[in-house]
Amino acid sequence: MVKLTQEVKDSMQGVKTIFLATCSRAGVPNVVPMGAYKVLDDETMLLSDQFMQKSLSNMQENPRVALTYWSEKGGFQIKGTVTLHKDDQVFKDDVAWVKGMKPTLNPKTAIVMKITDVYVVKPGPDAGKKLL
Amino acid sequence: MVKLTQEVKDSMQGVKTIFLATCSRAGVPNVVPMGAYKVLDDETMLLSDQFMQKSLSNMQENPRVALTYWSEKGGFQIKGTVTLHKDDQVFKDDVAWVKGMKPTLNPKTAIVMKITDVYVVKPGPDAGKKLL
């Protein structure tokens, strides 16, 4: 596991949409915009599934994920491994958090992502460089 | 192959950043923001590699890709299969196009993506629905 630095956490501030990539067992990538995410602690992110279909089935087959975002403050790519929570305290906490933002949303799965790597994505000679 | 509809092409108008997902042979997804893309014809997109590292090595191992974008006009997920061009007319045309936009950029690879599927990504009951 790696720990997110303040620079990486700051770059996420105010980012409404991140892009989550998953991959089926057969090797077909999938990538979707999503908004319900947060940093749980420096090694862990929470992603909340309200509408996922292929992303969810891919994570059931293959727990490796990658996400990225790009804003005026830049962006990074964060990779990790997920566990899926549907009927436990993690899921209950996710439901409370999401409904606190928008009561009409109905989370189906709480996705806990343990961070394994962080990469630079800013165009230029450092693009793709492993930061963490 | 599928043909992009006017709705899908319109949704890309003015979108500066798309998010390209690839997947290694071992099943690790990768996703990066990128700007140098265009629709070549209704079945084909061109992506220009200036700074890719893992995305490029993944496409050399596994030609399946997915990309998505999200703007005020919405967005879609487009999946396809790529061929990589480095020393042919396709690459020369890519270099001319990219340098016409920004002369300091130096394309390394022209990525031709034949479109296989298009999916809805707008949050809601249709999220994940196959459009094309």
Side-chain angles (χ1 to χ4, degrees):
Chain A
M1 295 305 129
V2 301
K3 287 182 188 289
L4 293 179
T5 59
Q6 198 59 44
E7 176 194 16
V8 175
K9 289 186 283 186
D10 285 349
S11 74
M12 273 186 252
Q13 285 290 327
V15 172
K16 285 189 181 167
T17 305
I18 64 169
F19 296 85
L20 176 68
T22 58
C23 182
S24 70
R25 198 181 290 127
V28 180
N30 196 82
V31 57
V32 292
M34 63 170 294
Y37 77 95
K38 66 177 174 180
V39 174
L40 278 184
D41 63 48
D42 288 351
E43 299 180 353
T44 318
M45 291 181 69
L46 176 74
L47 314 175
S48 185
D49 158 33
Q50 282 73 244
F51 302 112
M52 289 179 183
Q53 293 192 31
K54 181 59 82 177
S55 298
L56 185 62
S57 65
N58 282 355
M59 287 184 286
Q60 288 164 340
E61 290 182 8
N62 172 6
R64 300 297 302 263
V65 304
L67 64 83
T68 193
Y69 51 93
W70 186 253
S71 75
E72 65 279 5
K73 283 172 289 187
F76 292 94
Q77 180 181 190
I78 303 175
K79 294 194 181 186
T81 302
V82 296
T83 52
L84 306 177
H85 297 256
K86 283 181 179 282
D87 197 20
D88 60 6
Q89 192 58 45
V90 173
F91 178 66
K92 286 176 189 163
D93 291 347
D94 174 51
V95 172
W97 171 62
V98 169
K99 287 194 169 289
M101 294 189 294
K102 192 169 178 181
T104 55
L105 289 176
N106 292 304
K108 298 186 288 123
T109 321
I111 302 153
V112 175
M113 175 182 173
K114 284 289 176 188
I115 297 162
T116 55
D117 315 81
V118 179
Y119 296 88
V120 173
V121 295
K122 184 180 162 70
D126 282 345
K129 186 178 159 187
K130 188 169 162 70
L131 181 77
L132 302 172
Chain B
M1 294 304 128
V2 301
K3 287 180 187 291
L4 295 179
T5 59
Q6 198 58 46
E7 176 195 18
V8 175
K9 288 186 284 185
D10 285 350
S11 74
M12 273 186 252
Q13 285 291 328
V15 172
K16 285 190 182 166
T17 305
I18 64 170
F19 295 85
L20 176 69
T22 57
C23 181
S24 70
R25 198 181 290 129
V28 180
N30 196 82
V31 57
V32 292
M34 63 170 294
Y37 77 94
K38 66 177 174 180
V39 174
L40 280 184
D41 62 49
D42 288 352
E43 298 180 353
T44 318
M45 290 181 69
L46 176 74
L47 314 174
S48 185
D49 156 33
Q50 282 73 244
F51 303 112
M52 290 179 181
Q53 294 192 31
K54 182 58 84 178
S55 298
L56 185 63
S57 65
N58 282 354
M59 288 185 284
Q60 288 164 340
E61 291 182 7
N62 173 6
R64 299 297 302 262
V65 305
L67 64 84
T68 194
Y69 50 94
W70 186 253
S71 74
E72 66 278 5
K73 285 171 287 187
F76 293 94
Q77 180 183 191
I78 302 176
K79 294 194 183 187
T81 303
V82 296
T83 51
L84 306 178
H85 297 257
K86 282 182 180 282
D87 197 18
D88 60 5
Q89 192 58 45
V90 172
F91 178 66
K92 287 176 189 164
D93 291 348
D94 173 51
V95 172
W97 170 62
V98 169
K99 287 196 168 286
M101 294 189 293
K102 192 168 177 181
T104 54
L105 290 176
N106 291 304
K108 298 186 288 125
T109 322
I111 302 153
V112 175
M113 175 182 173
K114 284 290 174 187
I115 298 164
T116 55
D117 315 80
V118 178
Y119 296 88
V120 173
V121 294
K122 185 181 159 72
D126 282 344
K129 185 177 159 187
K130 188 169 162 69
L131 182 76
L132 302 173

